[in-house]
Amino acid sequence: MPAFQELGGSPKEEYSYDGFQATRTFLVPWEQRNEFAVAVFGSAGDSGSSSRLNYPGRKDVYATRLLFEPFDPASVNIRDLSDLKTDSVDYNGSYAKAIVDYNMLDSNDRTDGPLNEEGTSITYKMVVESEETIFPSTGWRWQDTATPLADDLILSKQVPMTTHYITWSNVVDPPWDKITARQGMVNNALFLGCAAETLLFKGAEANKLYRPGSGLDEGPSSFVWAIKYAFLEKSVKMNNYIYGWNHVYHPETGRWTVVKSGASTVYDLGNFNELFRTVLPDDVP
């Protein structure tokens, strides 16, 4: 751990609807600022980054941003810069002011969702829309007269279409093959509280996140990934049954039922928990 001290006026704490946030300001020897960054953010491990810095007394609050600036701009060692690629302003022998921002981070937002590996985190968001489903009146009757509906009468049903977003962060080796293989499949079992075959895996977005390695001066910077998965839920509820993506309205029975071609259904079934396992040497899609 590099030498440091916390400056007067630090910390600053804030409570809002976004949760608890704080900022701490430290004095760090200029030459040791890279080691301080590793101490704040941790390093990349086998499955995810090691634990970043907690806020004192708060296990749910972590360092999310670090800013360095010269503590005394006048302490610069003025010299000519011969190469903009390798030379920079020299503050050696002086101090850097390190400003660390903290935010609340939950390692897993949904207890009924996939389990995250150590060092990674899962955040959840849902967006609700609806879709009008049109179907014929065959097999339906008026309740008051028990007479069949006219053949040319069209019925409709509003079906909620909920998009579930799960962002899996701090992942060193995402399961790229499994993401590709399971795109377009539906869940083979209960997932996020959704019945089997009601959840369609639309796909994923991937963004790089920077994480320090064992030393910021040793080779290229380390990166991990934030994988944002999108699942679209289609749950047609009727007569205490739930019908999903492989169900089609059957006009002769007035119910939704699975359609098949031989042993094949419209959508293949997949295990979505596999999307949240990092790549291992013996893994297969």
Side-chain angles (χ1 to χ4, degrees):
M1 185 69 165
F4 70 92
Q5 67 182 64
E6 191 160 5
L7 295 177
S10 172
K12 297 179 180 179
E13 301 179 343
E14 177 184 352
Y15 289 89
S16 69
Y17 288 115
D18 293 325
F20 177 85
Q21 298 174 315
T23 300
R24 300 176 73 188
T25 305
F26 301 91
L27 194 64
V28 181
W30 186 262
E31 297 90 339
Q32 297 182 17
R33 66 191 188 282
N34 290 342
E35 290 82 354
F36 185 83
V38 174
V40 169
F41 283 118
S43 58
D46 292 335
S47 60
S49 63
S50 62
S51 298
R52 67 184 77 181
L53 190 65
N54 286 94
Y55 191 77
R58 296 292 301 263
K59 294 182 179 180
D60 59 340
V61 179
Y62 297 87
T64 57
R65 181 175 180 268
L66 169 60
L67 172 67
F68 288 116
E69 60 183 36
F71 179 71
D72 179 11
S75 64
V76 61
N77 299 314
I78 299 177
R79 60 187 178 87
D80 292 335
L81 302 181
S82 59
D83 189 342
L84 292 177
K85 295 181 179 180
T86 59
D87 292 348
S88 64
V89 175
D90 179 11
Y91 287 94
N92 290 340
S94 62
Y95 292 91
K97 182 165 68 172
I99 303 171
V100 184
D101 292 332
Y102 295 80
N103 288 275
M104 295 182 67
L105 294 176
D106 195 341
S107 62
N108 196 335
D109 285 348
R110 291 281 302 253
T111 57
D112 61 348
L115 298 177
N116 53 303
E117 296 173 333
E118 185 177 358
T120 68
S121 62
I122 287 178
T123 54
Y124 173 79
K125 177 184 177 181
M126 65 186 296
V127 178
V128 179
E129 297 178 354
S130 65
E131 178 181 272
E132 185 179 24
T133 299
I134 304 296
F135 53 94
S137 60
T138 308
W140 291 82
R141 294 177 177 270
W142 296 106
Q143 181 176 345
D144 55 352
T145 63
T147 56
L149 271 62
D151 291 340
D152 59 351
L153 183 62
I154 300 299
L155 301 179
S156 68
K157 184 180 180 70
Q158 287 290 330
V159 178
M161 304 289 286
T162 302
T163 303
H164 302 263
Y165 296 100
I166 298 180
T167 302
W168 187 28
S169 300
N170 301 334
V171 185
V172 174
D173 294 310
W176 304 114
D177 290 343
K178 291 183 175 64
I179 293 172
T180 301
R182 282 156 181 74
Q183 187 172 12
M185 289 185 174
V186 297
N187 55 321
N188 66 352
L190 188 71
F191 189 82
L192 287 176
C194 302
E197 301 187 47
T198 62
L199 210 56
L200 172 69
F201 176 39
K202 296 178 63 176
E205 298 177 6
N207 293 289
K208 278 187 174 182
L209 300 175
Y210 169 72
R211 284 292 178 269
S214 57
L216 301 184
D217 295 327
E218 300 175 7
S221 300
S222 299
F223 288 92
V224 292
W225 294 88
I227 311 296
K228 183 179 181 180
Y229 293 112
F231 303 92
L232 183 60
E233 179 188 0
K234 178 182 179 182
S235 298
V236 181
K237 299 178 176 67
M238 183 172 285
N239 297 326
N240 296 320
Y241 288 93
I242 298 177
Y243 306 99
W245 289 96
N246 278 322
H247 294 85
V248 177
Y249 182 77
H250 195 306
E252 295 181 6
T253 64
R255 298 179 65 179
W256 274 259
T257 185
V258 174
V259 294
K260 287 190 172 183
S261 175
S264 300
T265 54
V266 177
Y267 293 93
D268 287 344
L269 278 60
N271 181 357
F272 291 167
N273 287 301
E274 300 262 329
L275 296 170
F276 298 88
R277 291 180 53 223
T278 53
V279 175
L280 301 175
D282 297 330
D283 274 358
V284 293

